Amino acid sequence: MRSVDELFDLAAEHRGSRDVIEDMMPSVKPPEDIAGLSDDRILAGMTKAIFQAGFNWKVIENKWPGFEEAFEGFDPVRWKFMSDDDFDAFLRDTRIVRNGLKIQTVRDNAGMLCDLADEYGSAATCIAEWPVSDFAGLLAMLHKRGSRLGGATAQYFLRFLGKDGWVMGRDVVAGLVREGVIEKTPTGKAAQRKVQDAFNAWSSESGRPFAHISRVLALSVGPHL
């Protein structure tokens, strides 16, 4: 594997300069900032990422004030008890995108967040304190216990939340394959462990957060990919 410094140089060859690359780094929040969020913001963030998945992100962004209004601020305790009448009303509510399967995730994920709050004090605390050295484990937990939080959806949710971690987009996968970490998109546990080990090593070597390493990997494959 190349060092992170070498990956920066490779990305700069494609994008113009290291200063340009530095300006493209995603922001990462300290754990205390994430832990300080209320769990309604966690449910809102999850829901937004789920509705954006496979859909036009701009449409969801434009309608988001309507989502916030329709779901009354996304209080998990309220929505873990979503009734059939609530659900039927949402299917008629033009303030939101009326996708029944995705609407149901609000109830299911609200229940998960309430369970995490019982276990950790708040769901936000669980996410904030989960070690980045086991980011793959956090993704696996959200996929197993949540609804429609597999694939890249949970990764984007966590990135938007400010949690450090990777987003396994096409270019990141291409970079990892080029560096000999994996052979294809990492879907199995063994491949995900290899990704985790590589990010742990790069972060230890460079002091960089995973989010920056992920972005540099994507930029290093060239703008044509």
Side-chain angles (χ1 to χ4, degrees):
M1 298 191 314
R2 290 175 176 86
S3 69
V4 173
D5 196 55
E6 289 171 326
L7 292 173
F8 261 90
D9 287 340
L10 187 57
E13 290 179 14
H14 299 306
R15 304 289 174 165
S17 73
R18 288 183 66 114
D19 287 342
V20 170
I21 302 303
E22 292 286 3
D23 287 342
M24 299 173 74
M25 293 300 100
S27 61
V28 176
K29 293 181 179 178
E32 55 268 26
D33 285 2
I34 296 174
L37 295 171
S38 56
D39 283 351
D40 60 274
R41 294 304 85 203
I42 305 297
L43 182 57
M46 282 182 174
T47 303
K48 192 173 189 179
I50 289 166
F51 272 86
Q52 286 176 331
F55 201 72
N56 186 309
W57 285 27
K58 187 175 181 180
V59 171
I60 301 302
E61 191 67 45
N62 289 340
K63 292 181 76 71
W64 196 249
F67 275 84
E68 290 280 358
E69 183 178 352
F71 285 100
E72 302 169 8
F74 288 98
D75 175 35
V77 176
R78 164 70 175 92
W79 294 114
K80 73 177 288 187
F81 297 112
M82 182 186 295
S83 67
D84 290 343
D85 288 342
D86 290 327
F87 179 75
D88 290 341
F90 283 130
L91 292 178
R92 300 189 300 271
D93 196 330
T94 58
R95 293 174 295 180
I96 67 172
V97 173
R98 291 166 288 175
N99 181 309
L101 292 176
K102 293 188 176 185
I103 291 169
Q104 288 176 343
T105 68
V106 178
R107 178 197 63 205
D108 297 339
N109 288 328
M112 173 187 66
L113 295 183
C114 288
D115 290 342
L116 291 178
D118 289 340
E119 296 167 31
Y120 294 88
S122 73
T125 298
C126 170
I127 293 170
E129 295 183 352
W130 199 288
V132 70
S133 59
D134 185 34
F135 186 68
L138 175 57
L139 295 176
M141 183 276 288
L142 292 173
H143 177 53
K144 180 179 180 179
R145 298 182 63 171
S147 178
R148 297 179 81 96
L149 289 172
T153 302
Q155 297 168 27
Y156 279 117
F157 152 64
L158 293 168
R159 173 65 58 83
F160 297 150
L161 197 66
K163 174 72 174 178
D164 191 21
W166 60 72
V167 172
M168 199 58 57
R170 180 183 63 179
D171 289 352
V172 173
V173 171
L176 290 168
V177 170
R178 185 199 61 218
E179 297 304 311
V181 176
I182 52 176
E183 297 179 354
K184 59 182 180 179
T185 301
T187 54
K189 289 184 178 180
Q192 292 168 6
R193 183 71 254 171
K194 291 178 180 179
V195 172
Q196 183 72 68
D197 289 345
F199 272 85
N200 287 348
W202 274 321
S203 183
S204 178
E205 163 247 312
S206 67
R208 291 272 184 174
F210 282 18
H212 290 191
I213 297 166
S214 176
R215 180 64 56 82
V216 170
L217 270 172
L219 295 173
S220 73
V221 302
H224 58 286
L225 291 177

